[in-house]
Amino acid sequence: MPDTTPRGLTRLAFGGDYNPEQWPESVWHEDVRLMREAGVAMVSVGIFSWALLEPAPGEYDFGWLDRVLDLLHENGIRVDLGTPTVAPPAWFYRAHPEALPVTAEGVRHEFGSRGAICHSNADYRAAAANITTRLAERYGHHPALALWHVHNEYGVPVSACYCDSCAAHFRRWLAGAHGTVDAVNEAWGTAFWGQHYTDLAQINPPRVTPTVVNPGQALDYKRFADATIRENFRMERDILHRLSPGVPVTTNFMTALSQCDSIDYWAWGREVDLVTNDHYLITDGRRTHVNLAMAADLTRSVAGGAPWLLLEHSTSGVNWQPRNPAKGPGQMARNSLAHVARGSDGAMFFQWRQSRRGAEKFHSAMLPHGGTETRVWREVVELGAAIDSLTQIRGTRTRADVAVLWDWQSWWAQNLQWRPSEDHDPRERADAFYEALYDRHLTVDFAHPESDLSAYPLVVVPALYLMTEAAGNNLREYVENGGTLVVSYFSGIVDEHDAVHEGAYPGTLRETLGLTVEEFSPLLKDQRVRLTGPDGPDVPELIGDVWTEFVVPGTAETVWSYADGLTAGRPAVTRHRLGEGTAWYVSTRLDAHGLDALLGRAAEDARIAPRAELPRDVEVVRRAGESGSFLFAINHTATDAKVPLESHGTELLTGERAAGRLAVPAGTVRVVRLDG
């Protein structure tokens, strides 16, 4: 089995993308000197270097890369070496213009950016295999090599091509996935609108049509596009495994729901030796540290709970949003250590030296345009020392309290056209439920709907429109065996082919929830409904928007009812005892106050004690393993905070002893190795 930790790296990873080809060779020695000053342990090299490594077909120039890797090795810096297959050279596209992807509208992209690739193109595949082989033969046993880094951010910016090569490939994929054209007709429901096929050769990608394309076809094409990209990753990975045994192979994910929606990371997590992730703050007015925590938890979950690696984030502002604010003093360290708390064995950046030219010249870097006299540089050096002091946490695992179910394929299906309301956004519900759990100071694992859930006292389903029979059975067994389940509206509606489950809504969840739904009744824009519960101070009035339903309780009890609107008097939130457990259902979109009330009741059922003594926006996360038990306390507020400790310990960033209540100054991080 391939190794899963970077070879030769004996501490937490710290460093970033290093692009020496952008600079005169005279700068390289200064770079390495400053890397050592900053405590850099590893850098990513060669990700966009294909045109320099192979300046003409079959002609290679590895001399400059030899010198870079040798220089880094001489200075004790490990290398995450890229295969540069995200950016084929201009000469390749001149010879093979059909390797450029085509949009659903029939427009072929041009060369001049990055990631413009038709992943079904045979010439691209051959060229990618060739450059990967050449790199592996030359550097597969280089003493600096710690990790292979295939491609870059698969799925961004182009995840699907609609050209004729893809059409032929899609037909082959359909034959493998469904077997016969009759099976395709059945899965897609082609009897509707007269879309019946008599031969797979009649099927094309879901290109632009006069009105809505067949949703089963559209969903399968998303699966096909993801699977095709994954085929190309596996091709490169297998070459590297063969020619460079013992060196783990990865590719950098973008698991945040705010950053990539075209990749099924549950499937990809099984293909890489080490899960790595890129994360950038989306400055849209939300609490950015909550999105960060969510992305880190999601990445750790894709890794099966094992340590993973943050391969890119920013030291300060980025360059690709409408507005790109700088990070405040101390925020870079908080962001970095929050990822570490949630399972990353290091913190890497894009990039080492800020570019003077190109599209990302205003993207922050470890070494800014202003050099070593800048605030960012000083904070980088401080962070390098902090990361070094946490070496003993390598290999430990983050401990979670609850699980949230998420499925990228359900998200794809939900986002197809002609759904009951365009205002229902699965990502928004996932964000909202996660934030409510975060504010209750609960650490979250994400889980696939068919995975083993027995370790979690509470499982939350924020948005799972597509649910297989196996997933439905899994949730029923989870509740029957004593679990507490919370399900939000418009979940369990269709099967894996986007066909509505037979019978009343919500399909495979009817028995688990103890109810049926007669009809959806989405609300108009800005329309609200009130929810009232039984009299009592512990059952507040709640507010819903976007969605309501005509719920018919069977064996479920009504906890909150609609007080107004078309569904007035009907159940809005229900609770169902099934076997040894409890299943909650909420049939409207609750705001933060409502979600907190709902999850508070569910947490009582799950016997999860409240953690009200912790201030809002002060994270407390635990990692544990053979080297000990560690508590991370991260204060995102402007006020000093105190965090209770269950035992004495040593604070690793300051070296001080800690007991009772741990002082966490405003905007800082504390990491305690607990005694015992």
Side-chain angles (χ1 to χ4, degrees):
M1 181 176 179
D3 291 337
T4 59
T5 57
R7 189 182 65 170
L9 191 64
T10 58
R11 49 195 174 124
L12 295 179
F14 181 66
D17 283 33
Y18 182 38
N19 298 292
E21 63 270 31
Q22 296 180 19
W23 303 93
E25 194 161 343
S26 59
V27 175
W28 299 356
H29 288 273
E30 178 190 13
D31 280 332
V32 171
R33 178 181 64 80
L34 292 175
M35 286 178 190
R36 294 186 64 175
E37 181 180 327
V40 167
M42 185 169 74
V43 293
S44 301
V45 176
I47 296 168
F48 295 100
S49 302
W50 193 345
L52 297 180
L53 294 170
E54 190 179 6
E59 298 180 13
Y60 303 98
D61 179 7
F62 293 113
W64 67 272
L65 187 55
D66 290 346
R67 296 191 295 278
V68 168
L69 266 58
D70 289 347
L71 179 62
L72 291 167
H73 175 62
E74 290 164 6
N75 286 272
I77 299 168
R78 310 297 295 162
V79 172
D80 166 39
L81 185 57
T83 66
T85 51
V86 69
W91 60 256
F92 172 80
Y93 287 119
R94 176 60 65 91
H96 307 288
E98 68 283 357
L100 289 162
V102 174
T103 68
E105 295 79 13
V107 176
R108 190 177 295 278
H109 288 284
E110 286 290 343
F111 174 77
S113 180
R114 71 173 200 185
I117 297 164
C118 168
H119 282 274
S120 294
N121 182 266
D123 294 311
Y124 168 75
R125 291 183 175 211
N130 177 68
I131 191 63
T132 299
T133 299
R134 297 282 180 165
L135 286 166
E137 288 173 341
R138 191 172 189 92
Y139 302 112
H141 301 279
H142 194 284
L145 181 63
L147 185 66
W148 282 107
H149 178 139
V150 172
H151 206 268
N152 184 73
E153 295 177 346
Y154 279 108
V156 178
V158 177
S159 60
C161 172
Y162 297 80
C163 71
D164 289 342
S165 292
C166 287
H169 193 181
F170 183 43
R171 295 176 198 121
R172 295 193 297 272
W173 183 88
L174 289 172
H178 295 282
T180 67
V181 69
D182 289 339
V184 173
N185 283 320
E186 175 66 21
W188 293 0
T190 56
F192 187 80
W193 278 2
Q195 297 168 352
H196 188 79
Y197 298 101
T198 57
D199 194 307
L200 290 176
Q202 299 164 359
I203 299 175
N204 279 322
R207 296 166 176 154
V208 173
T209 56
T211 185
V212 177
V213 75
N214 183 298
Q217 178 188 15
L219 179 57
D220 261 353
Y221 204 74
K222 290 179 179 292
R223 291 175 173 137
F224 157 75
D226 177 60
T228 301
I229 296 172
R230 200 159 59 248
E231 283 177 18
N232 285 352
F233 167 77
R234 283 198 297 265
M235 173 190 69
E236 294 191 43
R237 178 203 63 193
D238 292 348
I239 292 170
L240 297 169
H241 279 168
R242 176 169 54 85
L243 297 176
S244 184
V247 180
V249 179
T250 191
T251 185
N252 44 339
F253 295 167
M254 298 190 74
T255 62
L257 305 186
S258 54
Q259 292 177 248
C260 185
D261 63 358
S262 59
I263 298 295
D264 181 357
Y265 285 115
W266 292 126
W268 281 78
R270 297 188 292 268
E271 301 291 352
V272 297
D273 299 330
L274 170 67
V275 167
T276 63
N277 195 53
D278 297 351
H279 182 264
Y280 294 97
L281 301 182
I282 305 299
T283 51
D284 58 359
R286 306 185 193 203
R287 297 153 72 199
T288 57
H289 56 278
V290 180
N291 176 274
L292 185 158
M294 183 177 178
D297 284 344
L298 191 49
T299 307
R300 181 187 69 253
S301 302
V302 167
W308 54 280
L309 179 59
L310 176 66
L311 208 51
E312 286 186 28
H313 72 313
S314 65
T315 57
S316 192
V318 296
N319 67 292
W320 38 264
Q321 299 183 83
R323 298 162 192 84
N324 297 287
K327 292 183 178 180
Q331 186 179 0
M332 175 177 61
R334 288 199 309 279
N335 290 167
S336 300
L337 296 178
H339 283 289
V340 173
R342 294 176 185 273
S344 177
D345 269 2
M348 306 275 285
F349 294 92
F350 180 84
Q351 58 181 326
W352 163 252
R353 183 183 283 270
Q354 195 168 14
S355 299
R356 289 186 57 223
R357 299 175 177 85
E360 296 187 280
K361 55 183 169 288
F362 298 118
H363 191 296
S364 61
M366 300 176 76
L367 182 60
H369 291 309
T372 58
E373 299 303 316
T374 59
R375 173 182 67 91
V376 165
W377 172 255
R378 289 190 292 272
E379 291 194 18
V380 164
V381 174
E382 292 171 2
L383 178 60
I387 291 285
D388 194 51
S389 71
L390 301 179
T391 295
Q392 59 190 291
I393 73 162
R394 286 181 76 234
T396 60
R397 293 188 173 216
T398 300
R399 292 181 171 176
D401 303 298
V402 301
V404 169
L405 298 195
W406 181 256
D407 181 20
W408 277 274
Q409 295 196 24
S410 176
W411 192 18
W412 299 343
Q414 167 68 74
N415 285 342
L416 297 175
Q417 295 171 287
W418 284 14
R419 298 309 186 223
S421 174
E422 66 177 14
D423 296 326
H424 170 50
D425 179 356
R427 179 202 154 190
E428 182 279 331
R429 282 294 80 187
D431 286 345
F433 271 92
Y434 182 90
E435 189 166 1
L437 293 166
Y438 178 96
D439 283 341
R440 297 187 76 83
H441 301 284
L442 298 174
T443 302
V444 170
D445 273 349
F446 286 84
H448 187 275
E450 296 180 15
S451 64
D452 181 6
L453 304 172
S454 59
Y456 304 104
L458 175 64
V459 170
V460 174
V461 181
L464 205 57
Y465 161 76
L466 184 156
M467 184 179 291
T468 63
E469 289 283 349
N473 293 337
N474 189 43
L475 293 185
R476 187 187 69 250
E477 292 171 8
Y478 166 76
V479 175
E480 288 175 337
N481 291 330
T484 300
L485 178 69
V486 176
V487 178
S488 187
Y489 64 91
F490 206 43
S491 292
I493 305 303
V494 300
D495 66 12
E496 60 269 31
H497 302 302
D498 197 47
V500 173
H501 286 289
E502 190 171 342
Y505 308 131
T508 59
L509 289 173
R510 289 191 299 262
E511 180 182 340
T512 303
L513 298 176
L515 54 80
T516 58
V517 174
E518 286 186 350
E519 190 178 3
F520 308 132
S521 184
L523 300 178
L524 299 178
K525 187 175 178 59
D526 298 326
Q527 189 177 358
R528 303 285 186 273
V529 290
R530 293 181 300 114
L531 280 60
T532 57
D535 293 337
D538 62 333
V539 185
E541 182 176 272
L542 307 181
I543 301 296
D545 68 358
V546 171
W547 193 277
T548 62
E549 293 176 345
F550 289 91
V551 174
V552 180
T555 48
E557 62 176 298
T558 299
V559 181
W560 279 276
S561 299
Y562 291 109
D564 49 27
L566 196 61
T567 53
R570 295 271 190 156
V573 178
T574 61
R575 178 177 180 268
H576 184 225
R577 293 288 301 177
L578 180 66
E580 300 299 317
T582 306
W584 289 77
Y585 183 62
V586 54
S587 63
T588 187
R589 191 177 81 163
L590 297 177
D591 60 12
H593 168 70
L595 287 178
D596 183 66
L598 169 67
L599 291 173
R601 295 288 301 274
E604 291 177 6
D605 283 344
R607 296 179 176 84
I608 297 174
R611 297 170 183 174
E613 74 277 9
L614 293 174
R616 189 173 192 256
D617 289 329
V618 175
E619 293 183 38
V620 175
V621 184
R622 292 165 176 79
R623 288 184 66 161
E626 292 183 2
S627 59
S629 181
F630 305 86
L631 181 145
F632 286 73
I634 307 169
N635 187 351
H636 295 285
T637 78
T639 305
D640 295 348
K642 289 187 180 295
V643 171
L645 296 176
E646 61 260 33
S647 67
H648 294 62
T650 301
E651 205 290 304
L652 299 180
L653 300 178
T654 64
E656 298 174 353
R657 290 291 294 169
R661 296 181 68 82
L662 173 70
V664 188
T668 66
V669 180
R670 293 291 181 262
V671 184
V672 178
R673 187 185 191 282
L674 300 171
D675 295 343

